[in-house]
Amino acid sequence: MKRILRLGCAVTAGFVAAHAGPAVTGIRPVRRFLWPHLAGVGADDHVALTFDSGPDPEATPRFLDVLDEYKVRATFFVLGSGLRRSPGLGREIAQAGHEIAVRGWEQRSLLLTGPDATYDDIARTCDLAAEVTGEEPRYFRPAYGILTTPALLAARRLGLTPVLWTYAVRGWTPYATPASVYRAAARRSVRGGTLLLDDSARPSQRWGLAALPRLLEEYARRGYRVGPLREHARGEPVFS
């Protein structure tokens, strides 16, 4: 009986490791050191500006106004549920020249989601994004940056490239302010990296919105090019 129990535990542990092993890439220093492409490291003079978890009818238009004022384009990783509620806003994002990428249908981790449900979740979002914008998405970023083996397999099957981020602004912390968000996003080492901000309805988005004009001005002063992921590669596509 003990042998059977040990065997069962070993099989279970192996299954969990196979399913959740890629989640180790969620640790930023590990990701950047071992998988720089997944960390969004690109051309040295470029910053890829990305937004997560929209579109949101309250927050997203405000970000679009700032980006339009500064003539900057970005990549928006959308939730399928948000896109279904606000398809016109999704079209507005694409028509303004921004890039639409795939987040997933809801803001939830895929760690406890099986292969079939994971594929359906990502494919459903991908299909809706293509229908709404007229363009096939190229990039995928899971909720909370937690990748699983089924998510990677689904992304490959759908022709999506997984990209997480080099730096995420911690605007959701209790002590966050526009100044703290600016300082985090303006760090020197962001050059050549991918920056994550949030355009969802969560309270944290207002700090990113307040800091964004000053941040774009600082990037321009330093001579950085700021744009979407599609412009981030060094010659050949970085993310493969």
Side-chain angles (χ1 to χ4, degrees), residues 8-228:
C9 290
V11 170
T12 300
F15 174 80
V16 170
H19 178 86
V24 70
T25 61
I27 304 172
R28 188 176 66 83
V30 173
R31 177 171 72 246
R32 184 160 189 181
F33 181 72
L34 295 178
W35 298 281
H37 298 174
L38 185 61
V41 177
D44 291 340
D45 65 338
H46 191 265
V47 175
L49 181 60
T50 68
F51 294 90
D52 272 10
S53 304
D56 177 75
E58 177 185 347
T60 304
R62 298 180 182 180
F63 282 98
L64 291 177
D65 287 344
V66 174
L67 294 172
D68 182 63
E69 179 181 351
Y70 285 88
K71 303 297 185 289
V72 168
R73 301 295 174 261
T75 299
F76 286 78
F77 284 87
V78 300
L79 292 173
S81 56
L83 195 59
R84 183 176 63 179
R85 287 191 296 269
S86 305
L89 184 52
R91 281 190 290 271
E92 182 181 344
I93 294 171
Q95 290 169 359
H98 303 289
E99 182 175 46
I100 294 287
V102 170
R103 181 79 164 158
W105 194 259
E106 299 283 357
Q107 179 71 2
R108 67 168 182 262
S109 171
L110 295 173
L111 273 177
L112 300 180
T113 306
D116 290 343
T118 294
Y119 177 82
D120 291 345
D121 182 277
I122 300 171
R124 186 183 178 195
T125 307
C126 196
D127 289 346
L128 181 59
E131 177 185 336
V132 167
T133 68
E135 296 183 9
E136 296 288 339
R138 297 171 57 186
Y139 300 110
F140 164 65
R141 175 183 289 161
Y144 310 109
I146 299 175
L147 282 166
T148 63
T149 296
L152 289 172
L153 293 174
R156 175 175 292 185
R157 185 175 166 188
L158 293 164
L160 299 169
T161 300
V163 182
L164 300 182
W165 56 83
T166 319
Y167 295 106
V169 176
R170 297 175 63 84
W172 59 86
T173 63
Y175 305 106
T177 65
S180 70
V181 168
Y182 168 79
R183 286 193 300 270
R187 65 185 79 190
R188 293 283 173 179
S189 51
V190 77
R191 178 174 180 170
T194 293
L195 178 67
L196 183 157
L197 292 172
D198 189 350
D199 70 315
S200 75
R202 293 182 295 184
S204 61
Q205 58 84 16
R206 66 180 181 270
W207 307 132
L209 181 63
L212 187 57
R214 184 182 173 197
L215 183 64
L216 294 176
E217 290 169 4
E218 176 63 16
Y219 287 167
R221 187 188 68 80
R222 296 182 190 177
Y224 298 174
R225 295 183 300 115
V226 181

